[in-house]
Amino acid sequence: MPDPEFDQPRFQQPRLALNRIYTKTGDQGQTHLAGGQRVSKDSPRLECYGTVDELNAFVGMAAVSANESVPALVPILRRVQHELFNLGSILATKPEDVHPKQARVTEAEVRQLEIEIDSMNQELAPLRSFVLPGGTRLNTELHACRTICRRAERLAVSLSREEPIPPQTIQYLNRLSDAFFVWSRWVNHVLAVPEILWEPNQSASGTTKLHNE
């Protein structure tokens, strides 16, 4: 006999029907949280999960590029997209309204990122300077993901000062930004494209002669 406990999904499956895209209920600059509360669209909670949504869009862009150049990274990026949507779900919900089976990020997601970071980082040469985005399109897209992720992390920290949020929120975003950095280096390594290292004296003031001399 199947065990009902293990037959149940870990998180609830979505229950929605999007028959209308615009409702006009947000025309005054407010929207609903998952629990039904009306909040301003520029509230810290909205800013936070809106940035997580922005990050998800950029991860999708990187996944398309990865499919054309480094397919091994695609399943990881697709998984991250689902995890970010889960994170947005929990951030769109006040703590008192969270359902036990509501989607969220957990220690398992954090740990998986750490495993992937350590595994890929072992293939990379130690850094002797900071790196700049470039070399390949996928590298730059992953760096864009990294910076957006850092912004989401900062917003989560700000939100946590005003309202309680799950501790895994900040932890996950912190690890994910590190992962984007390692993945950006790793794809250039796989594609045999040299990294662009930061050279302070490549600036205009660092050169020995100015062009207009």
Side-chain angles (χ1 to χ4, degrees):
M1 290 288 293
D3 189 333
E5 180 180 352
F6 292 99
D7 285 346
Q8 294 296 319
R10 184 172 182 182
F11 297 133
Q12 289 178 322
Q13 292 298 317
R15 299 175 183 174
L16 73 164
L18 296 176
N19 297 320
R20 293 184 60 190
I21 301 304
Y22 66 91
T23 61
K24 301 184 180 182
T25 59
D27 289 354
Q28 302 304 313
Q30 291 188 324
T31 190
H32 286 100
L33 295 179
Q37 303 91 341
R38 293 285 288 174
V39 294
S40 173
K41 289 187 176 183
D42 64 353
S43 70
R45 187 172 288 275
L46 265 291
E47 286 282 1
C48 188
Y49 75 72
T51 304
V52 169
D53 187 31
E54 178 186 353
L55 173 58
N56 207 335
F58 274 78
V59 176
M61 190 186 309
V64 171
S65 294
N67 192 54
E68 299 170 354
S69 56
V70 189
L73 190 60
V74 174
I76 295 175
L77 294 178
R78 290 299 183 208
R79 188 196 77 232
V80 166
Q81 284 193 276
H82 290 287
E83 291 170 355
L84 288 171
F85 214 97
N86 289 352
L87 179 59
S89 170
I90 208 72
L91 286 170
T93 309
K94 291 272 192 179
E96 60 269 25
D97 297 320
V98 173
H99 188 276
K101 286 188 175 292
Q102 185 170 339
R104 68 195 73 195
V105 295
T106 71
E107 293 288 343
E109 283 73 35
V110 175
R111 180 58 186 147
Q112 184 60 38
L113 288 174
E114 291 173 344
I115 292 171
E116 289 159 353
I117 290 170
D118 291 341
S119 174
M120 293 184 182
N121 199 47
Q122 287 180 353
E123 301 181 32
L124 305 176
L127 276 176
R128 303 303 180 193
S129 176
F130 292 104
V131 294
L132 303 180
T136 63
R137 181 180 183 86
L138 181 54
N139 172 279
T140 60
E141 289 170 346
L142 290 168
H143 272 289
C145 290
R146 173 184 61 81
T147 60
I148 297 169
C149 191
R150 285 295 190 197
R151 173 153 50 91
E153 180 187 3
R154 293 192 297 271
L155 290 169
V157 170
S158 296
L159 175 60
S160 69
R161 293 197 186 101
E162 299 187 16
E163 304 179 54
I165 61 174
Q168 291 83 8
T169 300
I170 297 172
Q171 191 179 18
Y172 176 80
L173 290 171
N174 181 270
R175 294 300 185 284
L176 183 57
S177 61
D178 290 338
F180 284 129
F181 177 73
V182 171
W183 294 337
S184 71
R185 295 193 66 211
W186 183 76
V187 298
N188 275 13
H189 166 72
V190 169
L191 296 171
V193 175
E195 293 185 290
I196 301 176
L197 299 180
W198 173 50
E199 298 181 45
N201 291 319
Q202 288 297 312
S203 63
S205 60
T207 57
T208 55
K209 281 191 175 183
L210 296 177
H211 291 295
N212 60 355
E213 281 186 352

